[in-house]
Amino acid sequence: MFSKVYNFFDDVVLELGRNFRWSYLPPLMVYFAAGVSGLTSIVGTFFIKEYLNLSAEFLAGLAFWAGLPWALKMPIGHLVDIIWRWKSSLVFFGASLMAISLIIMYMLISQTDMMAMIMPIEAWYILSALLSPIGYVLQDVVADAMTVEAVPAVDDNGVKFSDAIEKAMHTTMQTLGRVAIIGGVVCVSAINVYVFDGVDALNEAEKIKIYAGIYLGALAVPLISISGVILGGMLLRQKANKLTLKGVPSDVIHDMLFKPEVQTKPNWMIFGGSFAFVLFTLFVGLNEVPAAQEMTFFVSISIILFLMTRLLKELEPSQAKMLIGTAIIIFIYRATPSSGAGSTWFEIDVLGFDQQFLSVLSFLTYGLTLAGLVVLRPIIVKRSIAEILIILSIIGGIVSLPNIGLYYGIQEWTSALTNGVVDARFIAIFDTALESPLGQIAMIPMLAWIARNAPVHLKATFFAVMASFTNLALSASNLMTKYMNQIYTVTREVKDRTTGEITIQADYSELGMLLITVAVIIIIIPVFAVMVIQATPFRTTQ
């Protein structure tokens, strides 16, 4: 029995550690910074609820606009391929944007009246919410490219690795990338549990001081990603020094370490189409054109699909078809809607979940996700993407049941039966434990596939294009969430900060049907999509 447990632990955990290489560390630090950025998420939730008069529908729409920079991964990724040696400069620029976003929120919380004199508070919040993702996108594109060069093509004897070993290494690298992101979130969730201890009993001035302090502390996040890039440069120079000591000519070292294997020529179709997309988005957004979000979504996905067709010509026909089928399946899976901000408001107002307990849930969510990624890595390696997504969709629908039960008061029945043990918080923790690993697993197989199969001179471009396509699925999800919140209206109580008068009454009467509808969609649509794709020439077997 003990030997079986040890063998399982060895295969799942220790094997991942044995496969770690120091060359993996620089991109992992950039990914870790993305995870640590979640330090401000709970503060943002309570700041919106307590101080901003923004509806759930508006927030879903704002999430749509904030998600659009991820569609620009395509031209940025192509730019990385072109300026490969100087790609780290994009990380520094992205870090600057992230810092500006954090400073705006710090000032907004600590110096509210002064900021309001310059521009409405809501406008400041929207500006911060739009700047931050641009910074993350710039850093994420570079990190994706760094994961490719972090995986060696040959062993220490110069022998090329087999396809199976290469697949395992890329899967390990991409798994570690998700682990780094989630590990960052776990760290900040633990910090939030400590920081928010007893905060619900504090007065408003004391809460504001804590909120502002968290945003100020978050300025360390950009420094982490910058450190990753600096470390990457140090490791390359260290390797160059070792080769120099072995007598390798400097020009050979330069070509080996600092020059891409094939020089990428600019694809002006990618840059031109992306520039047209930016201009169109700015026009419809700034001029408040009716159905601006829908127009932007369809134009952006049309541009990306057009550019994808041009890029896929670089692949063998069979590979191109498989990648198209894979991308469509993942797109539909990620495009399913969520319930939106209303469910969190319900947990705060009706179930009494405070800042610290939401931090506990966040800690459990990402801690269990981290464990799930490690435990499920062998399954990800062995199973096809289609099989994985069917499993994830079915489980995703099932784990929605505890939340639905909480809305309809199942906690009152379970609490009475268990003498108060299985209450609302117990059920929320149980639901978190079930749901946690699902969201991050879907992307790993596709990222590993791209790392293995994309042309060597277009790795970053392929990462960016496919990421743009699948990230647009999140924009589609935000649109679907907005529609769901138009059909089922959910409002929380809003008070005037000066008079204390209630300006909007809380109304959660339609939240139950919203949760049920979303759960049904999560199961039916992705499973049906997989069945259809697998019956076509675009079926995926990897």
Side-chain angles (χ1 to χ4, degrees), residues 41 182 210 229 244 311 317 319 339 349 421 428 437 502:
S41 60
I182 299 164
I210 291 176
V229 170
T244 301
L311 195 60
Q319 287 183 322
S339 56
D349 287 344
V421 175
I502 297 176

Side-chain angles (χ1 to χ4, degrees), residues 44-45 47-65 122 125-126 293 339-345 478 481-494 503-508 514:
T45 298
F47 180 75
I48 293 170
K49 182 181 178 298
E50 295 172 0
Y51 303 119
L52 300 184
N53 185 19
L54 302 175
S55 67
E57 177 190 340
F58 178 86
L59 290 172
L62 178 59
F64 170 83
W65 292 114
E122 288 79 8
Y125 175 76
I126 292 169
Q293 293 171 3
S339 56
S343 58
T344 304
W345 296 341
N478 289 322
T481 301
K482 184 183 78 169
Y483 299 149
M484 291 291 101
N485 279 271
Q486 288 174 344
I487 297 170
Y488 304 105
T489 304
V490 179
T491 60
R492 88 286 195 193
E493 183 181 278
V494 177
T503 57
I504 299 177
Q505 295 286 347
D507 183 4
Y508 297 108
L514 172 60

Side-chain angles (χ1 to χ4, degrees), residues 341-363:
S343 58
T344 304
W345 296 341
F346 177 81
E347 291 172 349
I348 295 170
D349 287 344
V350 179
L351 301 180
F353 294 176
D354 56 19
Q355 293 94 328
Q356 187 183 36
F357 183 68
L358 289 178
S359 299
V360 170
L361 287 182
S362 177
F363 177 76

Side-chain angles (χ1 to χ4, degrees), residues 205-218:
E206 291 170 327
K207 286 183 181 179
I208 287 175
K209 185 177 180 180
I210 291 176
Y211 290 174
I214 290 175
Y215 274 103
L216 193 62

Side-chain angles (χ1 to χ4, degrees), residues 198-228:
V199 74
D200 200 42
L202 300 178
N203 60 41
E204 183 175 348
E206 291 170 327
K207 286 183 181 179
I208 287 175
K209 185 177 180 180
I210 291 176
Y211 290 174
I214 290 175
Y215 274 103
L216 193 62
L219 285 171
V221 174
L223 296 178
I224 297 173
S225 54
I226 289 173
S227 299

Side-chain angles (χ1 to χ4, degrees), residues 27-37 177 179-185 187 221 224:
L28 294 182
M29 290 180 68
V30 181
Y31 284 137
F32 181 77
V36 175
S37 67
V179 167
I181 293 173
I182 299 164
V185 181
C187 290
V221 174
I224 297 173

